[in-house]
Amino acid sequence: MRPEIELSWRRSRMSGLAPANTAVPVDEQAVDRRSTLLRAAAPVLTDLTERIGDAPYGVILSDRDSRVVDIQASARSLHREFDGLGAVFGGVFLEETTGTNSIATAHELRSGVAVRGEEHYLDRFKHLSCYGHPIFHPITRRLLGVVDITCRTADDSPLLPALVQRAVRDIEERALADSPRSRQRVFEAFTLATTGHDRAVLALAGDLVLSNSAAADLVTPADHHLLAQLTADAGPVHLTLQSGSEVSVLARRVGDGADGTVYEFRRIDAPSRAAGNAETGPVYVGGGPGTGRTTAARAALSAPVTELDGAAAAADPQGWLRALALADPARPLLVEDVDRLPADCATRLLGVVDRPAGLVLTGPATPALEGAAAALAAACRRHVDLPPLSDRRTELADLATGMLRRLPGGDRVRLTPSALAALAAQDWPGELHELRSVLSSTLRSRSAGDVTVSDLPERYRVSPQRRDLGPLERAEHDAIVAALRAAGGNKARAAAALGISRTTLYSRLRSLRIG
């Protein structure tokens, strides 16, 4: 018996529960029918059930107190069976009431768990296999509930965990979108500040505190009052924290300042002083047209920024050189399209790459650079190469959702999981420009509510590889493709992430025609 199952059995026995127990307590009155969980989960679970189709799988949702709040299954026989097992609205699935199962044990462990056949503690569950995974609120990280897929053991599939995990991610995204807009802005600003580096970052917004691990090791709650006194957007300030650590703190307001503040910390010690500006040295952001070079470059700098353009230098070298000479040395500098700089402009820029305020250059992917542009990239201490959108399918949901919010009227609609899956299956030769065009076109046909696959332009509704697959096969196809992309094509790692053997993965690759 697996260790986590053995420990669950021990907890069940210690609670006084007998394996022959058949009574499951029901507490319908305590269920919050208007909860964040139900609002976020309902369309996701409906979409998942539609994708599974008539296959004999049931989807169960429980709340933070492990009460069943939703049950969905296309097969009517499963509904009848669930009723007989106590899996009804309001049914309380804790280990002390129902023993070891994927709802109760996932709730207890706060992690995903599969329970198959004889691993169930109660005798009447032993003909079932199930996988459950907890849902956490993206901002507060509090437990919202558990999503479970259950079937008879004979119908068990090794890809159930991947299907459930994807549903959980979609529910958590909807829970974030359901949060007050001010909290969303704080969360987005915090996420942006922590992306791509390991500096300590803390966000404060009323009673909300977000902290990455580096900040948790550095900043204590006793420091929060001191931080709240800082003037935001005024540049770095030196502070001594309660721990005695000396830090440089940059405070940035979120929204109009009333939403909250994000703080970025850098330790001040002898080695860092001797290193000069090594931490904030020049950065090169490379990638093809439309891959988001400008957005990534601006995210790497603190505002306000001086921006210069290589195309303008090609048209007016002298004017560009004057602008470079007059650039405020206290402001970070962003120079775009360095591959288009004339030789004299590139040479002059090469002489100031170590400017203390910071410098970010953009241009083609590093291997494509030649001459002076290659020399400029080589002088940068850090390189960020942005892959084409077709290689960033695991990021596409975040990219599309963020882009949609920035479009006029985009805050009134939401991309459903099925629409995001259809978009992720495309090749995107036009990169982010093409994605923006598709989203803009979609907004013209759907100005409010949930954007489904049918709202997308016709050619973007189904990927060629999935057209002849059944609903469950499509769900398996999407789970495998996502795992392969996340693993960089490494099949062994993808199989491990999916919880299946490499032999099973290879078999499903052939069966689902995944090249």
Side-chain angles (χ1 to χ4, degrees):
M1 187 178 292
R2 290 180 289 149
E4 63 269 31
I5 301 298
E6 183 177 0
L7 287 172
S8 177
W9 277 48
R10 186 179 304 170
R11 290 190 297 269
S12 301
R13 280 195 297 266
M14 289 176 65
S15 70
L17 187 69
N21 180 71
T22 59
V24 175
V26 177
D27 190 9
E28 284 189 40
Q29 299 303 314
V31 175
D32 182 359
R33 298 172 186 264
R34 294 180 293 180
S35 67
T36 296
L37 172 66
L38 281 172
R39 288 197 303 271
V44 175
L45 299 188
T46 298
D47 180 79
L48 175 59
T49 304
E50 288 175 354
R51 286 193 287 124
I52 291 174
D54 293 330
Y57 297 88
V59 181
I60 302 175
L61 176 70
S62 65
D63 65 13
R64 69 185 60 186
D65 296 313
S66 216
R67 288 182 294 253
V68 174
V69 295
D70 194 9
I71 303 170
Q72 299 197 25
S74 297
R76 292 187 178 180
S77 59
L78 273 179
H79 276 289
R80 291 193 296 269
E81 184 160 4
F82 287 164
D83 287 347
L85 295 174
V88 297
F89 186 82
V92 182
F93 272 64
L94 294 167
E95 287 189 337
E96 56 262 38
T97 61
T98 58
T100 303
N101 59 78
S102 65
I103 298 176
T105 306
H107 180 275
E108 178 71 28
L109 298 179
R110 299 299 201 264
S111 63
V113 62
V115 181
R116 299 182 173 97
E118 292 294 326
E119 291 180 331
H120 286 90
Y121 181 77
L122 292 186
D123 294 336
R124 62 202 191 105
F125 290 166
K126 291 184 182 295
H127 66 293
L128 300 174
S129 287
C130 51
Y131 181 83
H133 198 286
I135 309 161
F136 295 98
H137 195 286
I139 296 178
T140 65
R141 301 313 299 164
R142 293 172 183 159
L143 179 72
L144 293 177
V146 171
V147 173
D148 161 89
I149 289 185
T150 294
C151 64
R152 299 179 185 91
T153 302
D155 299 315
D156 195 0
S157 166
L159 290 174
L160 291 184
L163 297 181
V164 175
Q165 289 164 17
R166 178 171 174 175
V168 167
R169 287 195 299 270
D170 291 338
I171 293 169
E172 290 178 346
E173 287 177 7
R174 286 184 59 88
L176 173 61
D178 193 51
S179 301
R181 187 66 189 120
S182 60
R183 293 258 168 138
Q184 292 182 47
R185 285 191 287 264
V186 172
F187 180 73
E188 289 164 0
F190 173 79
T191 301
L192 180 62
T194 55
T195 300
H197 54 72
D198 57 359
R199 74 173 65 107
V201 180
L202 176 79
L204 298 177
D207 61 349
L208 174 66
V209 179
L210 301 175
S211 174
N212 65 358
S213 57
D217 291 340
L218 185 64
V219 184
T220 68
D223 296 309
H224 293 180
H225 178 72
L226 178 63
L227 294 172
Q229 311 308 310
L230 297 182
T231 302
D233 304 318
V237 176
H238 289 186
L239 289 179
T240 301
L241 300 176
Q242 291 290 320
S243 63
S245 298
E246 289 187 54
V247 294
S248 172
V249 187
L250 180 64
R252 293 195 183 95
R253 292 177 295 183
V254 179
D256 60 4
D259 294 342
T261 306
V262 174
Y263 303 88
E264 296 183 17
F265 302 84
R266 291 186 176 88
R267 290 182 184 271
I268 301 172
D269 49 34
S272 64
R273 292 191 188 100
N277 69 337
E279 266 191 341
T280 57
V283 178
Y284 183 83
V285 179
T291 54
R293 296 185 314 213
T294 299
T295 301
R298 287 174 179 159
L301 293 168
S302 56
V305 176
T306 299
E307 297 189 21
L308 298 176
D309 187 4
D316 181 12
Q318 293 306 312
W320 191 91
L321 287 170
R322 284 194 297 273
L324 177 63
L326 294 173
D328 185 348
R331 294 176 65 168
L333 179 62
L334 167 60
V335 183
E336 297 202 69
D337 299 321
V338 295
D339 56 310
R340 303 183 65 177
L341 289 174
D344 54 344
C345 295
T347 301
R348 187 73 61 86
L349 181 60
L350 193 59
V352 297
V353 291
D354 286 317
R355 61 198 319 272
L359 171 70
V360 175
L361 311 177
T362 76
T366 309
L369 294 174
E370 298 178 348
L376 283 166
C380 293
R381 293 185 177 89
R382 187 161 66 94
H383 286 204
V384 178
D385 279 319
L386 300 174
L389 192 53
S390 58
D391 290 341
R392 302 167 67 187
R393 298 183 194 273
T394 57
E395 303 174 45
L396 193 127
D398 292 336
L399 290 170
T401 301
M403 185 179 290
L404 187 66
R405 288 176 183 164
R406 294 190 292 272
L407 291 173
D411 58 341
R412 297 194 297 271
V413 302
R414 186 193 72 90
L415 291 164
T416 61
S418 58
L420 287 169
L423 293 175
Q426 309 305 318
D427 291 331
W428 302 111
E431 300 296 341
L432 294 175
H433 298 304
E434 182 183 358
L435 176 59
R436 186 177 291 107
S437 175
V438 168
L439 294 175
S440 297
S441 175
T442 301
L443 281 173
R444 289 193 287 272
S445 63
R446 168 71 68 180
S447 59
D450 283 350
V451 174
T452 64
V453 173
S454 61
D455 296 313
L456 300 175
E458 186 173 355
R459 61 169 289 203
Y460 294 91
R461 293 176 188 172
V462 181
S463 72
Q465 294 86 353
R466 298 172 71 246
R467 285 192 182 121
D468 299 326
L469 300 178
L472 182 59
E473 289 177 318
R474 289 185 183 182
E476 290 183 339
H477 174 284
D478 294 345
I480 290 174
V481 169
L484 284 170
R485 288 185 183 123
N490 185 304
K491 293 182 175 63
R493 280 193 287 148
L498 291 166
I500 60 178
S501 68
R502 277 183 289 179
T503 302
T504 300
L505 177 60
Y506 286 125
S507 172
R508 299 311 293 157
L509 289 174
R510 290 192 298 273
S511 176
L512 299 171
R513 302 188 300 280
I514 300 174

